[in-house]
Amino acid sequence: MIFRQLFDAQSSTYTYLLADSATREALLIDPVFEHARRDGALIEELGVKLVWTLETHVHADHVTGAWLLKCRFGSAIALSKDSGAEGADRYLADGESVVFGRRSVEVRATPGHTAGCLTYVLDDRSLAFTGDALLIRGCGRTDFQGGDAHRLFRSVRDKVFSLPATCLLYPGHDYRGLTASSVAEERLYNPRLADAVGEGDFVGYMTHLGLPHPKLMAVAVPANLRCGRPEKEDTMSKTDADWAPLSCTFAGIWELQPDWVAENSARVQIIDVREPAEFTGSLGHIMGAKLLPLGFLMERKQEIAKDLPVVMVCRSGARSAQATVMLGNAGYAKVANLAGGMLRWRGQRLPVEGGTD
Ligand SMILES: N[C@@H](CCC(=O)N[C@@H](CS)C(=O)NCC(=O)O)C(=O)O
Ligand SMILES: [Fe+2]
């Protein structure tokens, strides 16, 4: 099993990636719209194939990345049949399972935070993703979207606390940075839902939470009822650069592949940030490249035109990744790193000036 927990600091939302390490088929639980690129980069770097995005519910505080990821990877969108959402590929009911490779998650209906809340339980019951039905030492609010404290109480007791005591629990949010819990822990220590707490106590607690509505609620709920499809569908192309086929790594670096740079070298400024001895050394340098060692990049940046695209180069692509970030921070909009640097360039037998075989 491949398992990753990802975080959105804006809404304190967790996204989970699960993949079968044998077949590489993967699913994402609760992707966030603004992080579709980050999640996509991780999917590509891990070499997994996204087959599903699953929602634990129709979120009120952020927009799902399901539609964006479907556009990019062809992943199918699934959420509860009681969600009221349109545009999904599958509407899930209690007891069904969602298969990825040789693994699967079991669907458990856990309404109460919203009417269409689901908990996903890994096939071996070692992990469960509770969405906002159960948070660490807390739970989702019950005051909108068909929320109902009585239903939430029953959902948690019957569908989550019936899992093995050792089952790890991964929530939809945590507002304090806590990452995981377990059934045993929550049954003992959850202040609202521990075994010792009665249904009446819980309902009383939830009736007096007094939380303001989520700031993004008016935007998020309608967008999530469309599974994250924007009203105008050009959002992804607008946010992606149009000057080159850029890709963004999970590390957050905009990259270009050597082939494209070789074919388009006349249209870009190639800045080689190695030391002079490396520039004239055995790897050689790209024709037309300008030598500007990393240590001098900021003080000599006026030598780089702002209106022309910039490609940063070094030996392995590491120093030039830093140079890409530095120039971006200095206000250069069209700047990318040459993936793999001169080593990959030479490995692909692309032309150089100087250098030795
Ligand atoms: N301040 C947050 C509030 C988020 C919120 O209300 N979250 C819901 C989950 S969608 C919740 O149940 N929160 C429980 C809590 O804050 O205790 C925002 O504006 O987004
Ligand atoms: Fe929620």
Side-chain angles (χ1 to χ4, degrees), residues 23-352:
T23 66
R24 314 305 287 177
E25 288 196 4
L27 59 80
L28 271 177
I29 299 174
D30 288 339
V32 171
F33 190 89
E34 287 78 8
H35 293 305
R37 184 180 290 119
R38 174 199 69 183
D39 299 353
L42 182 62
I43 283 163
E44 295 207 325
E45 290 179 19
L46 293 176
V48 298
K49 181 183 177 329
L50 188 67
V51 290
W52 293 105
T53 59
L54 308 182
E55 302 295 327
T56 55
H57 61 296
V58 170
H59 309 280
D61 58 342
H62 69 275
V63 178
T64 173
W67 177 85
L68 281 178
L69 290 156
K70 178 179 176 158
C71 293
R72 176 155 169 200
F73 294 106
S75 43
I77 299 172
L79 79 176
S80 167
K81 66 172 182 48
D82 299 320
S83 60
E86 59 175 48
D89 299 285
R90 183 171 166 192
Y91 291 92
L92 301 164
D94 187 72
E96 293 183 7
S97 48
V98 178
V99 176
F100 56 107
R102 294 192 281 194
R103 307 300 301 262
S104 63
V105 289
E106 176 196 339
V107 175
R108 294 192 175 196
T110 48
H113 168 59
T114 73
C117 282
L118 298 176
T119 290
Y120 298 105
V121 182
L122 189 61
D123 45 17
D124 61 6
R125 301 196 172 171
S126 59
L127 313 176
F129 303 91
T130 55
D132 299 352
L134 183 67
L135 305 177
I136 300 170
R137 306 295 193 269
C139 64
R141 60 198 293 166
T142 52
D143 56 334
F144 53 64
Q145 290 181 285
D148 179 329
H150 290 281
R151 285 185 95 189
L152 184 57
F153 185 84
R154 290 268 50 100
S155 289
V156 172
R157 288 296 178 83
D158 299 347
K159 299 292 177 66
V160 181
F161 286 179
S162 57
L163 287 163
T166 53
C167 179
L168 294 177
L169 299 177
Y170 287 91
H173 300 283
D174 190 88
Y175 301 99
R176 295 183 295 158
L178 310 174
T179 54
S181 186
S182 69
V183 168
E185 258 177 271
E186 294 305 318
R187 286 182 65 172
L188 257 181
Y189 298 117
N190 190 298
R192 307 180 190 180
L193 285 151
D195 288 353
V197 180
E199 184 167 336
D201 302 331
F202 176 70
V203 173
Y205 196 131
M206 296 311 289
T207 312
H208 296 100
L209 274 188
L211 291 170
H213 276 188
K215 290 185 285 296
L216 279 182
M217 188 159 169
V219 175
V221 172
N224 289 326
L225 287 170
R226 297 188 302 269
C227 293
R229 181 176 54 78
E231 273 177 311
K232 290 187 190 139
E233 285 198 13
D234 57 355
T235 312
M236 198 66 161
S237 54
K238 224 184 243 161
T239 50
D240 267 346
D242 52 6
W243 62 274
L246 296 178
S247 52
C248 192
T249 66
F250 190 55
I253 308 292
W254 288 101
E255 278 191 347
L256 279 167
Q257 296 308 312
D259 283 342
W260 186 93
V261 176
E263 277 164 31
N264 295 274
S265 58
R267 301 203 299 118
V268 298
Q269 305 174 85
I270 298 175
I271 308 296
D272 194 320
V273 299
R274 291 176 296 169
E275 297 304 312
E278 297 177 272
F279 190 76
T280 53
S282 60
L283 284 173
H285 55 261
I286 299 172
M287 255 146 349
K290 176 183 173 63
L291 174 66
L292 215 172
L294 185 59
F296 298 99
L297 183 64
M298 283 300 98
E299 64 192 66
R300 287 175 53 194
K301 66 177 188 301
Q302 64 284 356
E303 296 174 34
I304 306 170
K306 253 192 171 159
D307 49 351
L308 271 179
V310 186
V311 179
M312 291 294 187
V313 182
C314 73
R315 177 179 172 276
S316 68
R319 278 173 287 170
S320 54
Q322 175 59 6
T324 302
V325 172
M326 287 161 72
L327 214 58
N329 289 344
Y332 286 72
K334 297 178 182 178
V335 51
N337 190 27
L338 173 68
M342 288 307 294
L343 289 175
R344 195 175 302 168
W345 184 275
R346 291 298 305 260
Q348 296 189 7
R349 311 221 166 277
L350 292 166
V352 289

